[in-house]
Every structure is written in structure tokens, then in C-alpha cells.
Amino acid sequence: MSGAAAEVKSESVITVLVAALMNLAIALAKLVAGVLGGSAAMVSEAAHSAADTVTQVMLYVALRSSAKPADEPHPFGYGSAAYLWAALAAAFTFVAGGLFSITHGFHSLRDGAESDYVLSYVVLAISFALEGISFIRTITQVRRESRYWKVSPVRFLRRTPDTTVKAVFLEDFAALIGLLLAAAGLALAQITGDPMWDGIASILIGGLLLAVAVLLGRANIAFLIGLSLPPRFRDAVRTELETGEDIAAVQELLTLQLGPDSVLIAAKIDFRDSATGEAIERSSRAVEARLRERFPMVRYVFLSPWGDAPEGGEAPRELGEITRR
């Protein structure tokens, strides 16, 4: 793993652990307030934070599992384990957080509830401050990494293969919105005297969690199936290959994101007809070295000579070698 990738991985682990500890403390506080005050929205928020805590643990396992080095049974490493665990975390959020909050909200609409508003407001205020601390740290990481890749933070979040960062960002953002919904539901219930608003807030919180879970699930499933590099980076890789000595054209370029910090590049290269076997090997090694230097996440490169054989001559032999970093 490159120094830059290792630094990003370490920062992602710290971000996940900070978020997990914050969510655990917040979940306990919300649960106490919800049970004592009888607020459906507060109980839903407790389920929200509890689900976030469990998903953070899963994301931590994802980061640790994906960092295992490649071995004979898994020659391309364990990077995809991060996407598997992150997908499971999204599924847990969908069921334990979203569906529970919606169901609990509908029950409260039917049964009604009394609430200790002061206790709930205090817990919501403290929770908002703690969630804000976690969210600020996540935003700091997103901005730092987006500057490193020279893209906007929004584009970085859309395209980043490190789905743990995306998960923490979306969960922290959803947590802040959920707290505002809970506060609004409590305020309306207190002003109108109708606990229906508390139940509606619980249902909206559940819907918010379902939306986050679906977004994260789709992102991780896409990587599990096999996702190429974004068009901008594919074009940059193609340009780097085409500048290689004795390379006439890139006939076909395939890229595959193997994990958060691992990429495979395979290309069919049309070398100049005058290139000898030695020149092809030299040019291939040089262009591979440049790719690794420019894109630290490139772990495997497969370059295959391709093109019509010169008349009266032999087609260049295939190198047939996958080089592991």
C-alpha cells in the first residue's frame, strides 16, 4: 500500500471510530429520554443512533478486512470485503433503523404518547452538538481528499471507492436532519397538544434512514459487481499509455476497482511496427512505472501487444504478465 493510500486508510478508520463512539453515547441518551418522556420520535432517534453504531462497527470491520494483503487464494487482495461489509451495514440500517422507526411511528399515531419535553429538548441539543463534531471531522476528511484528487467535494463523494467515508458522511448528515425532525415533531406536539406530530416525526425519520440505506446499498453493490474507474480517470490512464515510447494506439482499455485503494488496469496496445520485442518490454515497464507514480491506487497492470502483424513478419508476442505492486 502506498504512503498516500495508507494515510487515507488510517484517517478513514479514525473517522469511523469517532462516529461510532459518538453514536453509542447519543443512542443511550435518546433511549433514556424516549422511555422516560414517552416520545415516539425520541425512541426512533435512539434506534437511529443504535443502528448507526452497529453500522460503524461493520464499517470498521470492512476497513480492517480490506487491508489484508493478497495471498495465493486471493491474488487480487481482499479489497472487495470492504464493499461486502458496507452493504451489510446498509441493510442493517434499512431494517433496524428505517423500518423500526416507521413502524413505531404508526403505533404512536394510534396509541398516542405523553412527553417530557424539557428532557427531550436537552438530549436533542446535546446530541446535535456531538453529531456536529463527528460531521465536521468527516467534512474535513472529504475536503482534504477531494483536494488531493483535484475534484469538488460533491464529485468526490459521488465517485470515491472508499464507501466508508461516504457512509459516515451520509449517516452523520441524516442524523442531524433526524434530530431537527424530532425537535420539530416535539415542538408541534407541545404547541398543538396533539401527539400525532411526534408520530409523524418518527415516520419521517424512518423514511430518511431508508433513503440513506438505499443510496449506500446501491453504491456498494455496484463495486461488488465490478466498477471501472470514473471517465475522467480512464481518460487520464489512456493518455498516459498513449504517450509511451513505441506505442501507436490503445486499442482497448479496461479498468476495475478491486477495493478502496486497489485498481487493476488491462489494455490492448498497438505498438509501432518497427518496435522490437525488447523495445515493447522496455516501453511497457516504463509506462507501468509512470501509471503507478501518477495513480498510487494502481496495483495491477496488464499490457498486451495487439494489432495487425506486419506483412511478412510475425505478430508481437504477448507479454502475458500481471505485475503485482
Side-chain angles (χ1 to χ4, degrees):
M1 184 184 300
S2 68
E7 182 180 351
V8 168
K9 178 75 71 175
S10 175
E11 187 171 11
S12 296
V13 169
I14 294 173
T15 298
V16 168
L17 290 177
V18 169
L21 292 175
M22 291 289 186
N23 283 323
L24 180 59
I26 291 169
L28 294 174
K30 289 176 181 176
L31 182 60
V32 171
V35 171
L36 295 180
S39 168
M42 289 302 295
V43 173
S44 294
E45 271 297 298
H48 181 172
S49 296
D52 283 351
T53 302
V54 175
T55 56
Q56 299 301 335
V57 173
M58 289 185 175
L59 293 177
Y60 174 78
V61 174
L63 288 169
R64 303 298 297 181
S65 299
S66 64
K68 293 173 61 177
D71 52 29
E72 187 174 351
H74 300 87
F76 294 114
Y78 292 80
S80 59
Y83 304 131
L84 174 61
W85 280 99
L88 292 174
F92 185 85
T93 298
F94 187 94
V95 176
L99 295 184
F100 173 83
S101 297
I102 291 174
T103 303
H104 189 68
F106 276 113
H107 280 307
S108 68
L109 288 177
R110 183 187 61 192
D111 300 334
E114 296 295 331
S115 179
D116 183 343
Y117 295 105
V118 175
L119 177 62
S120 295
Y121 288 141
V122 170
V123 171
L124 286 176
I126 295 174
S127 299
F128 196 89
L130 293 176
E131 291 285 6
I133 293 173
S134 177
F135 191 52
I136 288 172
R137 174 177 176 79
T138 305
I139 290 177
T140 300
Q141 181 182 353
V142 169
R143 287 179 174 174
R144 183 181 297 112
E145 294 188 33
S146 64
R147 285 196 299 268
Y148 175 81
W149 294 112
K150 299 179 181 179
V151 296
S152 68
V154 174
R155 179 178 288 273
F156 171 79
L157 283 172
R158 287 179 56 194
R159 299 291 189 178
T160 178
D162 189 352
T163 54
T164 56
V165 175
K166 182 184 296 186
V168 173
F169 177 87
L170 288 178
E171 288 175 358
D172 284 349
F173 181 73
L176 292 173
I177 299 299
L179 290 169
L180 294 177
L181 289 174
L186 287 172
L188 288 172
Q190 183 179 18
I191 292 171
T192 64
D194 188 349
M196 173 192 70
W197 294 107
D198 186 52
I200 291 176
S202 177
I203 295 171
L204 291 176
I205 291 169
L208 179 65
L209 285 173
L210 293 184
V212 170
V214 169
L215 286 174
L216 293 176
R218 288 182 59 186
N220 286 285
I221 289 173
F223 282 110
L224 278 174
I225 294 173
L227 199 63
S228 66
L229 289 175
R232 174 180 175 181
F233 287 101
R234 287 202 306 272
D235 292 342
V237 170
R238 180 180 291 273
T239 299
E240 194 67 51
L241 289 171
E242 289 175 343
T243 59
E245 185 181 0
D246 292 317
I247 294 178
V250 177
Q251 299 287 2
E252 185 177 4
L253 174 62
L254 300 175
T255 63
L256 180 62
Q257 192 79 48
L258 298 173
D261 60 351
S262 179
V263 169
L264 181 147
I265 294 174
K268 293 180 178 179
I269 306 296
D270 184 9
F271 287 88
R272 294 188 178 90
D273 294 342
S274 59
T276 63
E278 181 182 355
I280 291 174
E281 293 177 357
R282 182 177 62 251
S283 180
S284 297
R285 286 194 296 268
V287 75
E288 179 181 343
R290 290 200 303 273
L291 282 173
R292 293 181 185 280
E293 181 178 359
R294 183 175 178 184
F295 306 106
M297 81 289 285
V298 172
R299 194 71 60 85
Y300 306 93
V301 178
F302 177 37
L303 302 179
S304 177
W306 196 260
D308 297 331
E311 186 175 349
E314 296 182 356
R317 61 186 178 87
E318 290 193 3
L319 300 180
E321 179 182 358
I322 295 180
T323 304
R324 180 181 303 167
R325 187 168 186 175

